Amino acid sequence: MRKLWLNVHLYTSLSTCVILLVVCVTGCLLVFEVPMDRWLDPKVSFVEVRGEPVPFARIMAKLGTAFPGQQITEMDLAGPDGSVIAKMTGDVRAFVNPYTGEIIGTRQGQPPSYVLRHIHRELLAGNAGAQVVRITSFLLVLQSLTGLYLWWPLKRMTMKWGAPWHRINFDLHQLAGFFTSAFVCMIAVTGLVKAYGDELQPFFNRVTGTPAATRALLSSPHLQGSATRTGIDDAIAAAKTRLPGATIARITPPKAKNGSILVTMKYPGDSTAPGRSWVVVDQYTGQVLGSQDAREAPPAAQIPIVNRAIHVGGIYGVPTRILAFLSSLAVVAQLITGTSMWWRKRSLQSARKAPAGTRGTLTLAG
């Protein structure tokens, strides 16, 4: 039985080694996804705090003048010292000083975190790549469990630093697997739940008896063409009234005549990007059509919120993010040490099968 599970552990690891390396390295980086893009581009990402921000209507007017014919798809906010990032239909990101309304820079295309997310989720290969990542995540759980089974008889808990390199490599593989197996399993399982979120949500709703929540709520134009529209600043005020204590993280203007204004918000301690609380405002009447407070969301809505927080290490802020980073890094270490163990064993077996004269020649060459 032990030999069977050893082979399962070995060959599932070898077959998924390259994919796991890509997924885990990008996962390590995405632990710090929220501030990553701003750290990498500080020149346009940070501003000097100067009193009160200008109205968003003024920012939108500046953007309309600078980018005629283009539509604002969303605006991201990042705290008092961060610029407002406006995303345009022309694949342009404009960085705006919220205290002056001035455009301080533009960037073409997507930020690094966007590319990393798509490598992490689907290897930049669409649905086919997503399926490969999901299968690999399932096999990672199997590798962790079989690794624990193989560790159990020896129960190795120490490193022999003075031993030959292959013994140190073996000890490192065993210890990294034992101490991080539970966390790696959690990351893999929560990743699977996140990947199948759209398919699982109706099940969560049914099991918990929670009605489906949607942000796709439509506005009610009175006369279509002559209807008076609600300003973005009025919509923000309505959102703040509905969810007091939450900060504005993202504003999504309506994309159609019957579309609504979506204001995404964050409470203190919410480490997700851009946030898990939201308010939908009618673009004509200014009335709140729907909202969700992430702290008091119904059970079916809480499941994906908590699941994502566990996956990215956002439960208790920086300490659990570091733990998620180290767990992903431990998988990388296990892949390297495990592959090294397999290659050494394979080389020794090849040497034993070689003729005696050849073995002697190989030994001298080594």
Side-chain angles (χ1 to χ4, degrees), residues 253-331:
K255 296 180 174 62
K257 287 185 177 181
N258 61 347
S260 301
I261 302 169
L262 173 63
V263 182
T264 309
M265 308 179 75
K266 297 175 72 169
Y267 282 99
D270 185 349
S271 58
T272 58
R276 291 291 171 174
S277 302
W278 47 266
V279 178
V280 179
V281 181
D282 189 301
Q283 67 165 307
Y284 299 102
T285 66
Q287 294 180 341
V288 172
L289 301 176
S291 64
Q292 175 177 282
D293 183 334
R295 304 170 305 173
E296 302 173 358
Q302 284 286 359
I303 292 172
I305 293 174
V306 174
N307 182 80
R308 186 189 186 282
I310 294 173
H311 186 69
V312 302
I315 292 291
Y316 297 112
V318 173
T320 47
R321 284 190 178 275
I322 293 174
L323 183 59
F325 174 85
L326 293 176
S327 298
S328 296
L329 196 62
V331 177

Side-chain angles (χ1 to χ4, degrees), residues 50-75:
R50 298 180 182 178
E52 293 296 321
V54 301
F56 270 89
R58 180 172 167 182
I59 292 176
M60 294 183 74
K62 287 274 188 181
L63 292 168
T65 302
F67 304 97
Q70 293 192 31
Q71 184 180 0
I72 302 170
T73 57
E74 65 183 37
M75 292 186 288

Side-chain angles (χ1 to χ4, degrees), residues 19-293:
I19 297 168
L20 272 177
L21 277 174
V22 173
V23 171
C24 289
V25 169
T26 53
C28 285
L29 297 173
L30 287 171
V31 165
F32 306 103
E33 172 188 3
V34 175
M36 179 192 301
D37 297 326
R38 294 183 183 268
W39 287 346
L40 294 175
D41 201 359
K43 183 178 179 180
V44 295
S45 297
F46 298 100
V47 298
E48 181 183 350
V49 179
R50 298 180 182 178
E52 293 296 321
V54 301
F56 270 89
R58 180 172 167 182
I59 292 176
M60 294 183 74
K62 287 274 188 181
L63 292 168
T65 302
F67 304 97
Q70 293 192 31
Q71 184 180 0
I72 302 170
T73 57
E74 65 183 37
M75 292 186 288
D76 291 334
L77 290 73
D81 63 343
S83 59
V84 175
I85 303 176
K87 298 179 182 178
M88 320 294 290
T89 51
D91 201 23
V92 173
R93 289 175 293 132
F95 297 79
V96 184
N97 187 323
Y99 301 101
T100 64
E102 298 298 322
I103 298 171
I104 56 179
T106 60
R107 297 290 184 269
Q108 194 78 28
Q110 299 295 341
S113 65
Y114 176 90
V115 179
L116 284 175
R117 277 199 306 275
H118 284 274
I119 295 174
H120 184 73
R121 294 173 183 173
E122 70 262 1
L123 307 173
L124 295 178
N127 290 332
Q131 290 299 330
V132 170
V133 171
R134 292 170 186 178
I135 293 169
T136 301
S137 298
F138 171 78
L139 292 177
L140 178 58
V141 176
L142 183 61
Q143 290 166 35
S144 296
L145 296 177
T146 54
L148 273 178
Y149 172 82
L150 296 169
W151 170 88
W152 188 258
L154 296 175
K155 299 183 181 65
R156 196 177 300 280
M157 300 285 289
T158 58
M159 291 278 295
K160 293 190 67 174
W161 293 107
W165 73 266
H166 56 84
R167 173 59 189 271
I168 295 174
N169 185 78
F170 177 76
D171 288 349
L172 181 60
H173 185 80
Q174 294 261 319
L175 290 176
F178 172 71
F179 284 110
T180 64
S181 58
F183 302 109
V184 169
C185 282
M186 277 195 297
I187 290 173
V189 170
T190 52
L192 284 168
V193 173
K194 193 170 181 294
Y196 288 104
D198 292 340
E199 293 90 338
L200 290 172
Q201 194 59 50
F203 170 75
F204 296 148
N205 293 338
R206 186 167 59 253
V207 169
T208 60
T210 305
T214 179
R215 293 182 288 186
L217 302 172
L218 302 179
S219 296
S220 304
H222 302 296
L223 299 173
Q224 290 289 337
S226 61
T228 302
R229 284 179 166 80
T230 299
I232 290 291
D233 294 290
D234 292 330
I236 292 172
K240 288 181 176 179
T241 300
R242 174 58 66 94
L243 299 181
T247 58
I248 309 298
R250 174 176 291 172
I251 303 164
T252 308
K255 296 180 174 62
K257 287 185 177 181
N258 61 347
S260 301
I261 302 169
L262 173 63
V263 182
T264 309
M265 308 179 75
K266 297 175 72 169
Y267 282 99
D270 185 349
S271 58
T272 58
R276 291 291 171 174
S277 302
W278 47 266
V279 178
V280 179
V281 181
D282 189 301
Q283 67 165 307
Y284 299 102
T285 66
Q287 294 180 341
V288 172
L289 301 176
S291 64
Q292 175 177 282
D293 183 334

